[in-house]
Amino acid sequence: MASSSSSTSSLPLHRWRYHVFSSFRGEDVRKNFLSHFHKELKLKGNDTFKDDGIKRSTSIWPELKQAIWESRISIVVLSMNYAGSSWCLNELVEIMECREVSGQTLMPIFYEVDPSDVRKQKGEFGKAFEKTCAGRTVEETQRWRQALTNVGSIAGECSSNWDNDAEMIEKIVADVSEELNRCTPSKDFDDLVGLEAHVAKLCSMLCLESNEVRMIGIWGPIGIGKTTIARALYSQLSAAADDNFQLNIFMENVKGSCRRNELDGYSLKLHLQERFLSEIFNKRDIKISHLGVAQERLKNQKALIVLDDVDELQQLHALADQTQWFGNGTRIIVTTEDKQLLKAHGIKHVYEVGFPSKDEAFKILCRYAFGQNSAPEGFYDLAVEVSQLSGNLPLSLSVLGASLRGMSKEEWTKALPRLRTSLNGKIEKVFGVCYDSLHEKDRLIFLHIACLFNGEKVERVIQFLAKSALDVEFGLKVLVDRSLLHICDDGNIVMHCLLQQMGKAIIRGQCIDEPGKRKFLVDAKEISDVLVDATGTETVLGISLDMSKINDDVFISEKAFDRMHNLQFLRLYTNFQDESFKLCLPHGLDRLPHKLRLLHWDSYPIKCMPSRFRPEFLVELSMRDSKLEKLWEGIQPLTSLKQMDLSASTKIKDIPNLSKATNLENLYLRFCKGLASVPSSLQNLNKLKVLDMSSCVRLNALPTNMNLESLSVLNMKGCSKLRIFPEISSQVKFMSVGETAIEEVPLSISLWPQLISLEMSGCKKLKTFPKLPASVEVLDLSSTGIEEIPWWIENASQLLIMCMANCKKLTCVPPSIYKMKHLEDVDLSGCSELRPVLSSRYRAFADVFFIRLLHSE
């Protein structure tokens, strides 16, 4: 019986204030049919607009009109005297227009009247209509007549076909429910209780009909469902053809997108923009050199942007600093737990996510505990009490429901006493039930992540725990299934901060007065005391210390690690590299545990490692900004080593023999200004993927006769004494040798099949344009001595971006450049010698491609 001129799903969700609008003649149906009909609609959960007997007057027409347009379904009860009311006829005209324009569903009910009489305006129905038309204009009469003709032609329910009103009403209400279900835009979030109301309110707040750039915030406490709501909203808007966004991005877990302790403020913003641009343009690993790139790329694009879980203002400054960055109609949605952050960024439209009602909380629990919206027989009272104990927080409802899933009624009953005593309104303690139900190995994995590895890549955690007999891959799956962990699309492990706090609280509960006997040390004061007094024991597995939380210098005992035989993870780091937060070793260090798998010690304060240190289990060694002059003597067993980072260790002169580090994947030596050479043992590193030696200003060459088969990234930018182009791998994809003394590029580079990016900016001695392979997409030869671009540039058929800014000797750009179909950006700004050869065809070329031909006057 439902009818619409187009799919109901085309009706914008932000207009749905009511489920049903009913148009009727009160004197015919209000006291009998209509009262029962509205009661049944209400019982079935339908929100129906009612005038509640308000006397008709011109002052209420705007309210009636708005209600019509904000209802998903209009029901017209056509009774004998319906056409005897100009109010009813005007409502009908408005309903027919809404149906035509917005695709609203219209359900006619012919109550004790023949549809033919309505359609042709005849019989008693027609007589009532003629009386109403008396004295009216021809135009008004014609609008009414056309509306009646149209509604009389729509199939609807006729009371004459039913034995009684009750059965007819039951059928109509069932049809209403079915239609409401049918016109739901997406089924992706059907199981999520109460979501539609949140999305509807947010759509209204977004003002999608406006052409402005609008930012809104979604704010609420931990675990309230901000991300889920934002994802549902994003799913609906990105799928809607009407809003026609050119670009869409849901950037999840913004605050956990990088290890902030490894990046300064500017580098962090660059990192965020690179991730943002890579995702929004669906291109892998976009690299940028400054913070103006995002603005330049997006200023003319209408985008739908969700920045999820933002916790610092600089993240918003990096990703959405000003509305002028984006094209008209752009909508930016920010989720956060910090309302002040939204205010500080000038976001005025903030949606606060409230707690679900008791009924909704009960349904959420049941979905996770039983896979349905209600409790099975015998479980109802138990589920009601557990729902109440959860504090109605969606995250705790889901975690607790998942922990009880599959248990018998007897097991639920046994679990309840513990829940009653441990909760007491402190929602974080709910998670203890789920933790206690874990296998011993899974508990230990949980504690490792809570204390050390929250935010890390899955692959990295698996490497660290590979030889621990914890069945780490299976254990991670268990924790994900129990809602104790989430693994993002980019492979990052995310543990909710309440769960992380619980894990740390569990650790603190071990040997309260003797922290040196705990498995993990995470409190700055306690770690300082243990290292100063050398009270650590064989129980300690991991230490993680943010040195910026230490107020004064800490003088570590030389015997600090003597009894920590089982220490596997030592992380002593600082988030602020420009400040002096250091641990001091006034008497040196006797030893480091030989079981160490992670050794991360920023600003290591002495010249060398302990002589008895054997790094055979090390997976990662990070000694940034250290005072090291050398690591160790001889050849060490390093077969477990995956990453080594000695960045900014300015006093280190030699890298040890790495011939045994056959599994090394990443080697970072940037800003090692005292490093003059690297060992020939690098040729054994056939699994090496990244080699970064940027700004090693004393380094003048690399070992010859090397071809590292896995090397993907080589960065030697700023190695100012480097004269010979490094040919250490033909498999390199990203190569940076800018600001070096290289004079020429060997012809063999044209045979490198994987090369995507070549950066040689500032190589002032480079005069000849390099012979490029066809695979190159990005080329930066700015500020070089190159005099001409050769005709065979067209052979670099995949080239997207070419920068030759400030090439003062460049005089020639060949016509063959016109043939490069993929070329998008050519920067020739500052090429002053190019001026005389510029002609109209170059200007025409500039109109086709994004080409900069700016010269200083």
Side-chain angles (χ1 to χ4, degrees):
M1 64 177 287
S3 175
S4 67
S5 60
S6 62
S7 172
T8 310
S9 62
S10 66
L11 187 63
L13 185 58
H14 66 278
R15 296 181 179 177
W16 294 340
R17 185 177 174 189
Y18 305 103
H19 293 128
V20 176
F21 178 91
S22 55
S23 177
F24 57 90
R25 184 66 188 272
E27 64 185 52
D28 288 350
V29 296
R30 187 187 295 276
K31 292 183 179 181
N32 42 58
F33 170 82
L34 193 72
S35 61
H36 296 297
F37 179 51
H38 280 172
K39 180 180 179 181
E40 187 67 19
L41 282 172
K42 185 176 181 180
L43 287 173
K44 298 299 183 182
N46 296 298
D47 188 6
T48 306
F49 174 81
K50 293 185 292 183
D51 61 9
D52 292 324
I54 298 174
K55 184 179 179 180
R56 302 283 189 180
S57 68
T58 54
S59 64
I60 70 167
W61 173 245
E63 183 180 350
L64 289 171
K65 182 177 179 180
Q66 183 178 4
I68 290 170
W69 285 85
E70 292 183 347
S71 298
R72 294 176 73 172
I73 298 173
S74 279
I75 295 178
V76 181
V77 184
L78 295 150
S79 59
M80 192 64 67
N81 294 302
Y82 182 89
S85 167
S86 61
W87 277 101
C88 290
L89 293 173
N90 286 331
E91 285 178 359
L92 180 61
V93 169
E94 198 69 33
I95 288 169
M96 298 305 292
E97 183 180 351
C98 183
R99 173 178 179 265
E100 180 66 28
V101 172
S102 297
Q104 182 190 63
T105 299
L106 170 58
M107 294 182 174
I109 300 172
F110 301 97
Y111 191 77
E112 297 181 355
V113 67
D114 192 298
S116 177
D117 289 350
V118 175
R119 185 166 58 252
K120 299 178 181 180
Q121 299 94 54
K122 65 178 184 178
E124 294 300 320
F125 186 89
K127 291 178 182 179
F129 177 67
E130 293 300 331
K131 288 181 181 179
T132 308
C133 292
R136 302 287 183 166
T137 65
V138 175
E139 291 80 5
E140 189 173 18
T141 300
Q142 184 57 35
R143 285 198 302 271
W144 290 345
R145 189 179 299 280
Q146 187 62 53
L148 289 169
T149 299
N150 290 341
V151 76
S153 301
I154 297 172
E157 292 296 341
C158 295
S159 60
S160 59
N161 296 332
W162 293 88
D163 293 333
N164 56 70
D165 285 358
E167 292 180 1
M168 181 175 68
I169 288 171
E170 186 177 348
K171 169 64 165 57
I172 295 170
V173 172
D175 287 344
V176 168
S177 297
E178 182 179 348
E179 179 63 14
L180 289 173
N181 291 336
R182 185 190 68 78
C183 65
T184 301
S186 171
K187 293 185 178 181
D188 292 345
F189 301 92
D190 282 355
D191 290 338
L192 301 178
V193 179
L195 191 61
E196 186 176 8
H198 289 299
V199 173
K201 292 173 184 176
L202 282 164
C203 280
S204 178
M205 185 179 287
L206 282 169
C207 290
L208 295 168
E209 66 275 12
S210 169
N211 204 34
E212 67 175 320
V213 176
R214 174 169 285 212
M215 293 188 191
I216 71 168
I218 300 179
W219 170 69
I222 297 168
I224 200 68
K226 300 181 295 296
T227 297
T228 301
I229 293 168
R231 194 175 289 282
L233 178 63
Y234 173 83
S235 176
Q236 176 176 298
L237 295 180
S238 60
D242 294 343
D243 293 311
N244 140 53
F245 291 103
Q246 297 165 291
L247 297 170
N248 302 308
I249 180 175
F250 189 102
M251 190 168 176
E252 65 180 5
N253 190 31
V254 172
K255 72 180 181 183
S257 63
C258 58
R259 291 279 303 282
R260 279 170 285 184
N261 56 295
E262 294 182 356
L263 299 169
D264 60 27
Y266 188 83
S267 298
L268 176 61
K269 289 180 181 179
L270 278 178
H271 175 87
L272 286 169
Q273 280 201 9
E274 287 172 348
R275 178 189 163 191
F276 179 79
L277 292 172
S278 297
E279 292 185 19
I280 202 168
F281 290 113
N282 197 25
K283 290 186 177 181
R284 189 174 181 181
D285 296 328
I286 288 179
K287 300 296 180 184
I288 60 175
S289 59
H290 60 84
L291 294 175
V293 177
Q295 179 181 0
E296 183 65 35
R297 296 292 297 273
L298 297 171
K299 65 182 180 181
N300 295 318
Q301 302 282 348
K302 179 182 178 182
L304 173 62
I305 298 167
V306 177
L307 304 177
D308 179 53
D309 207 5
V310 174
D311 71 340
E312 288 189 3
L313 194 59
Q314 67 173 342
Q315 295 160 1
L316 291 178
H317 288 167
L319 301 173
D321 192 30
Q322 302 176 36
T323 55
Q324 291 86 344
W325 283 18
F326 309 94
N328 291 338
T330 291
R331 292 296 181 268
I332 302 164
I333 301 158
V334 178
T335 76
T336 184
E337 294 155 17
D338 186 355
K339 191 173 185 179
Q340 179 56 38
L341 184 148
L342 299 174
K343 291 181 179 180
H345 197 61
I347 298 177
K348 299 178 181 178
H349 307 285
V350 178
Y351 179 70
E352 180 180 356
V353 183
F355 282 83
S357 66
K358 291 181 180 180
D359 289 342
E360 289 174 331
F362 180 75
K363 288 181 180 179
I364 293 171
L365 178 78
C366 289
R367 287 300 309 169
Y368 283 91
F370 309 114
Q372 58 192 38
N373 288 335
S374 59
E377 184 177 355
F379 281 86
Y380 179 81
D381 290 338
L382 293 169
V384 167
E385 183 172 356
V386 172
S387 178
Q388 293 171 346
L389 291 171
S390 73
N392 288 355
L393 184 70
L395 180 62
S396 61
L397 287 164
S398 63
V399 171
L400 192 54
S403 72
L404 295 168
R405 187 162 186 158
M407 289 188 181
S408 65
K409 181 181 177 181
E410 181 181 358
E411 289 172 319
W412 274 65
T413 303
K414 290 180 178 179
L416 271 175
R418 183 165 186 181
L419 290 176
R420 294 189 191 109
T421 57
S422 62
L423 280 172
N424 294 322
K426 297 178 181 179
I427 297 174
E428 63 270 24
K429 291 188 177 180
V430 176
F431 303 128
V433 175
C434 194
Y435 173 82
D436 290 341
S437 68
L438 294 173
H439 186 279
E440 183 180 356
K441 289 184 177 182
D442 299 332
R443 291 184 196 176
L444 192 51
I445 295 173
F446 177 91
L447 294 176
H448 273 87
I449 294 168
C451 296
L452 299 173
F453 301 130
N454 194 10
E456 298 285 358
K457 294 284 187 184
V458 172
E459 180 183 4
R460 195 161 176 248
V461 173
I462 290 173
Q463 290 172 352
F464 284 140
L465 301 178
K467 298 179 180 180
S468 61
L470 288 178
D471 304 322
V472 60
E473 290 189 61
F474 178 78
L476 288 173
K477 181 180 182 304
V478 170
L479 296 178
V480 170
D481 291 343
R482 297 287 184 91
S483 300
L484 293 171
L485 287 183
H486 173 66
I487 297 177
C488 301
D489 292 340
D490 60 3
N492 280 353
I493 292 175
V494 176
M495 176 181 286
H496 192 275
C497 59
L498 280 180
L499 290 166
Q500 184 175 28
Q501 289 174 8
M502 182 193 72
K504 292 180 178 180
I506 290 171
I507 290 298
R508 292 189 187 100
Q510 301 170 350
C511 303
I512 296 175
D513 297 325
E514 298 181 88
K517 294 183 178 180
R518 300 174 190 164
K519 289 185 182 297
F520 300 100
L521 298 176
V522 294
D523 180 84
K525 179 63 168 61
E526 292 177 341
I527 293 172
S528 299
D529 291 343
V530 168
L531 296 181
V532 169
D533 300 331
T535 55
T537 67
E538 67 277 1
T539 305
V540 180
L541 298 177
I543 297 175
S544 182
L545 171 62
D546 181 353
M547 291 186 285
S548 64
K549 295 182 179 179
I550 300 174
N551 295 324
D552 301 310
D553 286 347
V554 175
F555 296 90
I556 300 176
S557 167
E558 68 272 22
K559 299 184 181 298
F561 299 100
D562 282 9
R563 293 196 297 152
M564 296 192 213
H565 307 304
N566 294 311
L567 184 66
Q568 300 171 24
F569 309 103
L570 178 60
R571 179 185 284 147
L572 309 174
Y573 66 93
T574 175
N575 282 318
F576 306 99
Q577 295 181 7
D578 57 339
E579 298 188 39
S580 181
F581 295 109
K582 296 182 179 179
L583 301 180
C584 304
L585 289 167
H587 305 293
L589 194 62
D590 283 358
R591 69 175 69 208
L592 281 169
H594 80 284
K595 291 184 180 180
L596 278 177
R597 299 176 186 181
L598 169 64
L599 175 53
H600 181 152
W601 193 327
D602 288 340
S603 303
Y604 183 75
I606 54 179
K607 295 180 180 180
C608 62
M609 306 282 277
S611 59
R612 291 183 290 175
F613 179 49
R614 294 293 177 268
E616 58 186 300
F617 297 107
L618 266 187
V619 174
E620 182 175 315
L621 174 66
S622 180
M623 309 288 280
R624 302 172 306 189
D625 192 32
S626 73
K627 296 296 185 291
L628 284 168
E629 294 182 2
K630 64 166 54 180
L631 284 171
W632 48 67
E633 299 287 351
I635 302 174
Q636 294 286 355
L638 299 168
T639 53
S640 297
L641 192 63
K642 297 284 186 178
Q643 177 167 305
M644 178 184 287
D645 188 351
L646 301 176
S647 298
S649 295
T650 57
K651 294 186 177 182
I652 199 160
K653 297 179 175 61
D654 299 300
I655 301 301
N657 189 308
L658 298 175
S659 58
K660 299 292 186 180
T662 51
N663 290 303
L664 189 64
E665 296 178 355
N666 302 305
L667 179 57
Y668 298 101
L669 303 171
R670 48 185 176 240
F671 294 99
C672 290
K673 297 181 179 181
L675 189 64
S677 63
V678 292
S680 59
S681 59
L682 257 64
Q683 64 186 343
N684 297 326
L685 308 182
N686 284 321
K687 292 186 179 180
L688 192 66
K689 298 177 182 178
V690 177
L691 178 56
D692 188 344
M693 294 180 288
S694 56
S695 299
C696 290
V697 293
R698 293 188 60 196
L699 190 66
N700 56 30
L702 290 180
T704 57
N705 300 319
M706 294 174 58
N707 189 13
L708 302 179
E709 58 190 39
S710 298
L711 192 65
S712 178
V713 178
L714 176 62
N715 187 0
M716 299 190 72
K717 185 180 180 70
C719 295
S720 53
K721 291 189 177 181
L722 185 68
R723 293 181 294 102
I724 301 174
F725 189 88
E727 293 185 85
I728 66 171
S729 175
S730 60
Q731 302 301 310
V732 168
K733 294 180 180 179
F734 303 93
M735 188 170 191
S736 177
V737 287
E739 300 175 20
T740 62
I742 291 175
E743 297 181 6
E744 62 178 354
V745 178
L747 292 176
S748 58
I749 194 176
S750 64
L751 303 176
W752 292 11
Q754 307 292 328
L755 189 63
I756 295 174
S757 175
L758 176 62
E759 189 273 322
M760 298 188 70
S761 63
C763 293
K764 299 186 181 300
K765 295 184 179 181
L766 182 66
K767 297 181 179 180
T768 305
F769 198 93
K771 188 78 171 179
L772 301 173
S775 58
V776 170
E777 297 178 6
V778 179
L779 178 65
D780 188 351
L781 298 172
S782 56
S783 300
T784 60
I786 292 175
E787 299 176 359
E788 65 174 352
I789 301 174
W791 65 268
W792 42 258
I793 183 67
E794 65 182 276
N795 294 334
S797 56
Q798 300 302 310
L799 195 62
L800 297 172
I801 299 172
M802 181 170 70
C803 182
M804 297 194 68
N806 300 311
C807 290
K808 303 297 184 182
K809 297 182 180 181
L810 184 65
T811 60
C812 179
V813 177
S816 58
I817 202 170
Y818 303 144
K819 300 178 182 180
M820 303 182 70
K821 297 180 180 179
H822 298 289
L823 194 60
E824 296 176 355
D825 187 351
V826 179
D827 188 353
L828 300 174
S829 59
C831 298
S832 52
E833 294 300 315
L834 195 59
R835 181 185 296 275
V837 301
L838 286 177
S839 64
S840 60
R841 62 180 180 172
Y842 285 100
R843 296 298 181 187
F845 178 64
D847 291 337
V848 177
F849 300 98
F850 179 50
I851 182 169
R852 284 167 278 184
L853 298 167
L854 306 176
H855 313 295
S856 55
E857 297 296 335

